[in-house]
Amino acid sequence: MSTAFEIQPVGRFDGECEPVKRPKEIACFSYDDKHEFHLDDRSMQWYYPPELGADLSKGFDQFVKHDDSKDEHIDSLLKTIIAHEEEEGKKVDAQVVTWRGMMTKIMAAPFEDRDGFEMNATLYQDCIFIEENHAYKQASQQEQQQQQRQQQSRRGQFPPDVMTYWGYKFETLCCLPRPWGEITRDFIENRDKEIVSNKAQYCSVVRTGIGKTTLCLGGEVDAIWDSKPAQKGAPINWIELKTSVEIRDDRTMQNFERKLMKFWIQSFLLGVPRIIVGFRSQQGILTKLEEIQTAKIPETASKRGVRSWNANMCINFASGFLDWLRNTIDDEGVWRIRRLPRSGSIEVFKVEEVGHGSILTDEFINWRIKLSLGSGREST
């Protein structure tokens, strides 16, 4: 039996914003250039502006692409939480643990209904752990790419694989593996010749809160502006890197305004203060850079009369949904969180009566048992 949280009418989420806790990094991890996991910041990158006029298609034939056909669940996030809890000697204080991408889908739901989503969730020690339903993600990606290929062949545009590559190429052009003072001029000037790979990632794990719900979120961060502060939990000058087609008319302006919602949500959730947007031509040539302050996006959108989305409504919707979810998922087993394309509601129903499926690893469960037996201390 399923129960549903109604998205419409979205007007009921208008009004003063629910309280939000500033995201604080509590831990981090890296994937190296072979996409192997490490409990450190070895894959952190530093921002340095790219040269305009770069061809974002260059090097596509050498692209080292991570194979995402394997379901990685939330294993890396759980490993990082274990290490953090070992250090602190207590459970992380959170009522929901998930990837930033899952919360982005939920926060955007009032204004983004074209694509559906499916997630798996399980309750363990009064906390809901949520992962993406991998089979649904793979099927959706294949369907979207097929539709894009059909549309683009008719319009004479680039294939979707090449257009996806443009984003990774932009990141390569914008990033240094070490601070600027430690990098040679030759390396900086020849970033255009670097082979592009999406295997290496730096992931930040933060504790944040929306309304009455405390969350622990993990997500990739593209680069840092200067350096990490010595004090743990202090704000970090992260940079989010994005590409978008250059704004030439009302249609491209409206498309960019809709993109701004996703840009804002993704950066807001991890506490990323600055977004660098690389505008490109239809042919994939980098034509312009724009720096956007994350905190100013809602105000700017409001002043420009943007009606396609509203930041307070995104936050209030997420707050209401999380309250409802915590009351709905009240027992063990595996639950499905589903929103069908164009649907006005998010359904939740149980797919496995007992256990935690593949969402939680044996390592994590064993650690939590050991922690509760050994410490006898409550989480704070």
Side-chain angles (χ1 to χ4, degrees), residues 3-6 12-13 17-19 21 95-96 103 106-107 123 126 128 130 208-215 314-330 337 346 348:
T3 181
F5 185 82
E6 297 299 329
R12 72 188 197 276
F13 302 108
C17 177
E18 285 286 322
K21 290 177 187 166
Q95 293 147 326
V96 172
M103 273 309 301
I106 289 165
M107 277 187 75
L123 181 70
D126 298 320
I128 300 171
I130 303 172
T208 184
I210 298 176
K212 298 171 188 165
T213 303
T214 304
L215 303 108
C314 289
I315 292 170
N316 292 342
F317 173 83
S319 172
F321 175 77
L322 291 169
D323 285 350
W324 174 83
L325 189 71
R326 285 164 49 213
N327 285 321
T328 302
I329 298 180
D330 57 359
I337 302 168
I346 301 176
V348 172

Side-chain angles (χ1 to χ4, degrees), residues 27 34 42 47 59 86 90 137 149 179 216 254 259 275-276 347:
K34 295 179 182 176
R42 70 182 64 192
Y47 175 72
E86 282 180 327
K90 58 188 176 184
K137 173 191 168 186
R149 284 191 189 97
C216 176
Q254 287 168 3
K259 269 189 166 186
I275 303 164
I276 307 287
E347 304 169 83

